Amino acid sequence: MGRMSTEKELPPLTPGTLYLVATPIGNLEDITLRALRVLRECDVVAAEATRRTGQLLAHFGISKPLLSYFQFNEARRSEEIIARLRRGEKVALVTDAGSPGISDPGERVVKAALAASLRVEPVPGACALVAALTASGLPTDEFHFIGFLPHKSGQRRNKLESLKSFDGTLVLYESPYRIEKLLRELIEVFPQRRVVLARELTKKFEEFLRGTPAEWLAASAYRKLKGEFVVLIAPSESEAATAAATPAPAPG
């Protein structure tokens, strides 16, 4: 077997390439050596949250120009990024946390770069979806990722109803401000399914809460459900889901 290449032996970044760089979702140790090298060697970092990205770069002793790129300026910034790539610049795209394009900005500029016959290169790393799924205890051979549900109640309910026939594990993201609302919706649509609430992944208070929607809605009366959530819903008649389930804690 050949030995692994050291950083000094690695080739330089390719001019005119859009690098999709995954960043930590909480624990800063989860950044990869490759991500750090790309961030050091790129010409500019296009960031969803420039302040947060600036703090990340400063933590690792990296100083780079930052270009704001978020949901409401994607069209304009995509044009600017494409122009930079055509000039041969090396652009690193990062989001607030995790992998670009997964319930975060990135899809538009990737499509634009490919349409312009420019190179797009993923720099994989932390992703809340994968972290939650693999540690959930629910089936991983088949799953469906929904991202965030619509804000309007009718649209949310319709979306959940449409997922009833899917055989695999369902995975979605939810904020702490709507988690109780989601649990009420799950009681109506998936009353017998086991759910896993993965909260604050990779952070100090990381926790996996396993039970039924009704159990965790009842628990929320005496325990505030805080943090960002990945919500996983077991397939119907899933042995793995039953084995992974643990009852919600009693009050007190």
Side-chain angles (χ1 to χ4, degrees), residues 7-157:
E7 187 169 330
K8 291 182 179 179
E9 297 170 327
L10 294 172
L13 301 188
T14 305
T17 297
L18 176 66
Y19 291 90
L20 308 177
V21 182
T23 55
I25 57 177
N27 192 320
L28 293 180
E29 291 182 314
D30 290 337
I31 198 162
T32 69
L33 295 176
R34 183 180 172 206
L36 290 174
R37 186 170 76 92
V38 170
L39 292 172
R40 287 192 188 103
E41 297 182 10
C42 70
D43 296 302
V44 64
V45 178
E48 179 187 13
T50 53
R51 183 172 178 273
R52 179 163 180 165
T53 299
Q55 293 172 338
L56 176 70
L57 296 179
H59 179 83
F60 291 105
I62 300 172
S63 178
K64 286 291 172 181
L66 293 173
L67 181 68
S68 176
Y69 179 87
F70 56 94
Q71 179 183 359
F72 300 108
N73 72 357
E74 276 188 284
R76 177 168 53 87
R77 287 302 197 200
S78 292
E79 293 178 1
E80 181 176 345
I81 290 171
I82 296 305
R84 286 174 175 268
L85 293 171
R86 283 179 169 149
R87 293 198 299 266
E89 291 190 25
K90 304 173 288 290
V91 179
L93 177 70
V94 302
T95 55
D96 186 32
S99 300
I102 304 297
S103 289
D104 275 317
E107 183 178 336
R108 182 191 291 265
V109 70
V110 168
K111 289 180 176 178
L114 295 176
S117 299
L118 295 165
R119 180 179 174 83
V120 177
E121 190 170 317
V123 183
C127 178
L129 159 65
V130 176
L133 181 63
T134 54
S136 69
L138 302 183
T140 60
D141 57 335
E142 186 175 5
F143 65 91
H144 182 71
F145 177 60
I146 300 101
F148 287 96
L149 291 172
H151 285 192
K152 294 184 178 180
S153 296
Q155 294 175 349
R156 289 168 64 88
R157 178 61 182 260

Side-chain angles (χ1 to χ4, degrees), residues 41 71 81 100 104 112 128 135 167 176 190 202 207 221 228:
E41 297 182 10
Q71 179 183 359
I81 290 171
D104 275 317
D167 293 330
F190 300 107
T202 80
E207 191 173 20
E228 298 296 325

